[in-house]
Amino acid sequence: MILKDKAVIMIRNAVKEDAEKILAIYSYYVKNTAISFELDVPSLDEFQGRIVRTLERYPYLVLEEKGVILGYAYAGVFKNRAAYDHCCEVSIYVERHAKGRGYGRMLYEALETALKKAGILNLYACIADPVTEDEYLTRNSEHFHSHLGYTKVGRFHNCGYKFNRWYNMIWMEKIIGEHQKN
C-alpha cells in the first residue's frame, strides 16, 4: 500500500473479475487512439481470457486508488522460444483522466520488481510511433519509457494501419538484471 497525497493507492495482482474495469480503461485507447493497434474492442470474455493466460506465467498488476482501478501493467512472452525465457514484453495503460499522477511509474516499478524475482533480465516495450504526431498518437509513450530507463532499439516503418493512416512501431529495451553464464 502506498500513501500519496493522502490517497491510499494499492498495487495488486489482477484477477479475472477485474476484467470489466480494466477493459473500460483499454477500450478508450482502442476506439480513440493509435496507442493500441487493435481495431475492435475485445469482448469481456476474450479479455478475461487474456488476464487468466497472462497470470499463468507473468504478473498482471492493477493500481487502485480508493478501490477504483486507474491503471494496469502486465508482462507477456517476448518470443516463444526457450532461449528467450529471461526476456518479456511489457505493456501499461493508465485511465486517461488519471495521467500525470505518477501511476505509470508506480505500476512499472512494481512490475519490474516482480519480473526480477521471476528471473527476467530484459524488458521490451512495443510502442506505436507516429510518422508525424497527430490527434490519435503522440510520442508520449516513447518519452515515458525513455524517462524510466528504456532505450530505443528498433523501428518498423508503416507497419500499423489505423484511422486511415500508417504508423510506425518502435521497440524499446530495459535491462533489469545481470546476464551471467551458467
Side-chain angles (χ1 to χ4, degrees), residues 9 20 58 74-75 90 92 153 161 172:
I9 297 168
E20 188 173 358
Y58 296 102
Y74 60 94
V90 294
I92 186 167
V153 293
Y161 188 74
M172 296 187 78

Side-chain angles (χ1 to χ4, degrees), residues 32-80:
N32 301 290
T33 78
I35 290 170
S36 169
F37 282 165
E38 218 163 342
L39 300 179
D40 298 310
V41 176
S43 70
L44 181 57
D45 285 343
E46 166 62 24
F47 213 73
Q48 288 173 332
R50 291 179 188 185
I51 292 170
V52 169
R53 285 188 299 276
T54 298
L55 287 169
E56 289 172 359
R57 183 167 177 195
Y58 296 102
Y60 199 125
L61 305 176
V62 295
L63 180 143
E64 293 181 337
E65 181 179 334
K66 298 178 184 173
V68 177
I69 295 175
L70 295 176
Y72 65 99
Y74 60 94
V77 172
F78 170 63
K79 293 289 282 179
N80 196 13

Side-chain angles (χ1 to χ4, degrees), residues 26-42 50 72 74 93 126-128 136-137 161-163 167:
Y26 182 62
S27 66
Y28 170 80
Y29 292 99
V30 173
K31 293 177 190 174
N32 301 290
T33 78
I35 290 170
S36 169
F37 282 165
E38 218 163 342
L39 300 179
D40 298 310
V41 176
R50 291 179 188 185
Y72 65 99
Y74 60 94
Y93 290 90
C126 179
I127 300 170
Y136 302 111
L137 186 63
Y161 188 74
K162 190 171 181 179
F163 302 122
Y167 293 97

Side-chain angles (χ1 to χ4, degrees), residues 33-165:
T33 78
I35 290 170
S36 169
F37 282 165
E38 218 163 342
L39 300 179
D40 298 310
V41 176
S43 70
L44 181 57
D45 285 343
E46 166 62 24
F47 213 73
Q48 288 173 332
R50 291 179 188 185
I51 292 170
V52 169
R53 285 188 299 276
T54 298
L55 287 169
E56 289 172 359
R57 183 167 177 195
Y58 296 102
Y60 199 125
L61 305 176
V62 295
L63 180 143
E64 293 181 337
E65 181 179 334
K66 298 178 184 173
V68 177
I69 295 175
L70 295 176
Y72 65 99
Y74 60 94
V77 172
F78 170 63
K79 293 289 282 179
N80 196 13
R81 302 284 187 274
Y84 296 111
D85 281 351
H86 296 282
C87 307
C88 69
E89 184 178 347
V90 294
S91 295
I92 186 167
Y93 290 90
V94 174
E95 209 286 330
R96 64 188 169 133
H97 299 298
K99 289 184 174 185
R101 298 183 196 172
Y103 297 158
R105 174 183 283 282
M106 287 183 225
L107 275 164
Y108 258 4
E109 286 174 354
L111 187 64
E112 284 181 24
T113 298
L115 292 168
K116 278 184 189 180
K117 287 179 184 174
I120 299 295
L121 304 174
N122 296 25
L123 305 180
Y124 295 101
C126 179
I127 300 170
D129 180 54
V131 175
T132 303
E133 291 188 63
D134 61 30
E135 68 272 28
Y136 302 111
L137 186 63
T138 65
R139 290 192 171 79
N140 287 348
S141 187
E142 177 183 354
H143 298 309
F144 168 76
H145 284 82
S146 291
H147 185 70
L148 294 179
Y150 286 75
T151 304
K152 190 184 324 179
V153 293
R155 177 187 313 274
F156 295 89
H157 298 92
N158 295 314
C159 63
Y161 188 74
K162 190 171 181 179
F163 302 122
N164 297 313
R165 59 192 79 183

